[in-house]
Amino acid sequence: MLVIRLVSGPTGPDALVLPVRPGGPDSPDFLASPDSSASTGSSAELVPTAVPTGDEIRAEAAAVLPATRLTGATGEVREHLRPGGTPARLWLLGVGEGGEHDWRSAGAALARAAKDETQITIALPAEATAALRGLAEGLLLGSYRFRLTEAGKRSALAEVAVLVDDPDALAGTLDAARATAEATRLARDLTNMPSSTKNPEWFAAQVAQAASGHPDLHLRVRGPEELTAEGFGGLLAVGGGSATGPRLVELDWRPEGARTHVVLVGKGITFDTGGISIKPVPAMKLMRKDMGGAAAVIAATLGAAELRLPVRVTTLAPLAENMVSGSAFRPGDVIRHYGGLTSESTNSDAEGRLVLADALAYAARELKPDLLIDLATLTGANAVALGKRHAALYSENDTLATGLLDAITAAGERAWRMPLADDYVEYLASEIADLHSSPAQGAGSVVAALFLREFTGDLRGRWAHLDMSAPSWSDDTHGELVKGATGWGVRGLLRWLATLG
């Protein structure tokens, strides 16, 4: 993975990156900066940096700037060659208004544009905390690639030196950015992995490998026999059609002195055919991503341990493969979930809520946390309502919802709070069971959330559900996202967990 290090002086680089922001006559700094390109009529100007990069270099950059036609918008990148000079190449990088989100997108754009460089140095402004956090995450996430073959697996860019005035003061910021990006990359790796490899047993083994050696991390994996003995009926029903039985991964981060206990639950369907209610081919081809919620909560818990966040986090990942076979559960079956509630399922493609119901009930009855959060690639209705880049957040707790939304936004992810409309509860009625898990009436994402709420017990007022099917996958490259799994939720959860200590 790309190495990022903090430096306070010249490193003799072959390539130097200078940040550029919107400028020109409308800029408040039009006359304030002596090396600004404003006097030349350019719509962009150089950002003052904490460590001088040399008057000659900045003067040359300011002189070249008008010809680049840069506006200073976030993610604009231009290369300027300096034959015989040091550095040999000068890169100008648009950072927009200079907020963390701008620097994150700029870092990702730079990682892609400078992929053929071996080493680059980038100068940051004096107030560098937000800039460094965004830049480092952008570089590490924008340079991410998932390949199962060696060809094209790595880009040439191996090291980025970040020029700041006090490296020691910013070391913690870089560590936080690096741990967050590494956790997000892990979630992307798990989600991108083809389901020919990724079954519940494999997923559980990956968690065990990632958790090994971390102090205060405790792992328990339940297999089919334990799940049967303890009554996890939803998980057993959904996983019953597969040659690989279901698993329940329980990963617990227990730092000494933690005062708050959070349980994270993530949907872990390692492949979803739709079961007997089989999906059409276009809807099935990307169903290796249907465990994106489990990947996110597992990775966030590992990230919390790496950062040693002072909050206890227990993650539950119910893992199953929803396959078609003689032992698959049928439309119309009644399932007895953990804790005793029953549900009638007339659509075996509404399977995610069945495994989540078991995990939520177990968390509420046995773990009794302070807060309960679930993430799930649950419904296509999420994308219908909010498009491809927003998750839908449901909660009855205004404080919890606001805290999650603020953290998600600060981390550069997107979510929108949706209503838990009680007038849809009537659609959950069943003539033969306690609940109907797959009613055909009501708004799909809302009804699914209402079903899950029934399993939260005394934690109903301290629970939030994130339907993140849409933003879990990107169809193109933009900002810090690349085509494929996004690892949505890892960054937002880590920001939020950091506020609970």
Side-chain angles (χ1 to χ4, degrees):
M1 190 167 67
L2 179 66
V3 174
I4 302 174
R5 60 190 182 94
L6 300 173
V7 298
S8 59
T11 59
D14 290 328
L16 174 66
V17 182
L18 295 178
V20 174
R21 65 189 177 192
D26 294 329
S27 168
D29 298 316
F30 177 56
L31 298 176
S33 178
D35 61 0
S36 171
S37 60
S39 60
T40 67
S42 171
S43 60
E45 63 184 11
L46 297 174
V47 175
T49 55
V51 179
T53 53
D55 292 341
E56 178 185 348
I57 293 174
R58 289 190 70 86
E60 183 176 340
V64 167
L65 200 49
T68 66
R69 298 183 180 178
L70 289 171
T71 67
T74 303
E76 289 183 330
V77 185
R78 297 288 189 277
E79 180 185 14
H80 169 58
L81 300 179
R82 306 177 71 244
T86 301
R89 289 174 297 284
L90 185 63
W91 292 83
L92 300 175
L93 176 66
V95 297
E97 298 302 315
E100 183 182 325
H101 177 70
D102 296 304
W103 277 95
R104 188 180 294 108
S105 295
L110 179 63
R112 289 188 278 268
K115 65 182 186 301
D116 295 327
E117 299 281 2
T118 301
Q119 185 269 348
I120 59 176
T121 297
I122 179 167
L124 291 194
E127 297 296 326
T129 302
L132 176 61
R133 178 84 188 242
L135 173 70
E137 289 184 5
L139 287 166
L140 293 169
L141 296 177
S143 61
Y144 172 85
R145 297 293 181 273
F146 181 82
R147 292 291 297 269
L148 293 178
T149 60
E150 290 300 318
K153 205 168 187 178
R154 295 183 180 179
S155 62
L157 182 60
E159 181 180 311
V160 175
V162 183
L163 194 56
V164 296
D165 58 357
D166 190 349
D168 290 338
L170 291 168
T173 299
L174 180 58
D175 288 343
R178 184 184 293 114
T180 299
E182 287 178 354
T184 304
R185 289 170 66 106
L186 172 62
R188 289 180 180 183
D189 282 346
L190 291 170
T191 308
N192 279 322
M193 180 61 68
S195 296
S196 54
T197 297
K198 178 177 58 188
N199 57 36
E201 183 179 14
W202 178 91
F203 191 110
Q206 300 307 299
V207 178
Q209 180 179 340
S212 64
H214 281 271
D216 302 317
L217 265 180
H218 306 270
L219 175 66
R220 180 182 179 184
V221 179
R222 292 174 173 85
E225 290 185 1
E226 290 176 283
L227 295 172
T228 300
E230 295 183 40
F232 288 88
L235 193 49
L236 289 163
V238 175
S242 173
T244 304
R247 301 289 190 275
L248 178 63
V249 170
E250 183 172 344
L251 181 65
D252 197 13
W253 159 242
R254 302 178 197 165
E256 186 177 353
R259 292 175 296 178
T260 303
H261 182 199
V262 177
V263 169
L264 304 176
V265 178
K267 174 185 170 184
I269 303 300
T270 58
F271 192 77
D272 182 18
T273 65
I276 290 176
S277 308
I278 198 160
K279 293 178 182 287
V281 171
M284 197 192 301
K285 63 182 181 181
L286 284 180
M287 281 300 102
R288 70 179 186 272
K289 78 179 185 72
D290 211 16
M291 35 56 65
V297 295
I298 288 291
T301 305
L302 292 167
E306 182 68 25
L307 293 168
R308 301 202 64 81
L309 297 181
V311 56
R312 182 182 174 189
V313 182
T314 305
T315 281
L316 300 173
L319 306 171
E321 197 174 43
N322 189 21
M323 300 294 283
V324 181
S325 76
S327 57
F329 79 108
R330 295 158 292 268
D333 281 1
V334 171
I335 295 162
R336 184 173 297 277
H337 295 276
Y338 187 93
L341 274 179
T342 58
S343 70
E344 176 190 5
S345 178
T346 54
N347 180 358
S348 65
D349 195 22
E351 84 300 328
R353 65 200 70 184
L354 303 180
V355 303
L356 289 170
D358 277 2
L360 291 170
Y362 169 73
R365 292 170 62 91
E366 308 297 336
L367 302 179
K368 303 184 187 303
D370 300 297
L371 298 167
L372 176 61
I373 315 295
D374 76 80
L375 273 69
T377 54
L378 202 60
T379 70
N382 167 208
V384 174
L386 297 175
K388 286 289 294 178
R389 299 183 185 178
H390 282 77
L393 185 150
Y394 298 89
S395 180
E396 295 179 348
N397 188 314
D398 292 342
T399 301
L400 176 58
T402 299
L404 281 167
L405 288 172
D406 287 347
I408 289 166
T409 301
E413 297 177 325
R414 300 181 188 179
W416 192 264
R417 190 176 181 185
M418 298 285 280
L420 278 165
D422 282 330
D423 49 345
Y424 289 155
V425 171
E426 62 185 274
Y427 300 137
L428 298 177
S430 168
E431 294 181 357
I432 58 174
D434 295 307
L435 298 165
H436 195 308
S437 64
S438 50
Q441 295 173 289
S445 184
V446 179
V447 171
L450 289 169
F451 175 79
L452 295 180
R453 189 180 67 176
E454 297 299 312
F455 294 86
T456 59
D458 293 339
L459 290 169
R460 171 172 165 166
R462 290 174 283 150
W463 160 75
H465 162 60
L466 285 155
D467 188 342
M468 37 77 78
S469 180
S472 69
W473 192 268
S474 179
D475 295 325
D476 57 12
T477 296
H478 58 274
E480 68 275 17
L481 304 182
V482 300
K483 188 175 182 180
T486 64
W488 192 96
V490 177
R491 291 183 281 151
L493 285 175
L494 285 175
R495 288 291 180 108
W496 177 69
L497 290 170
T499 69
L500 302 180

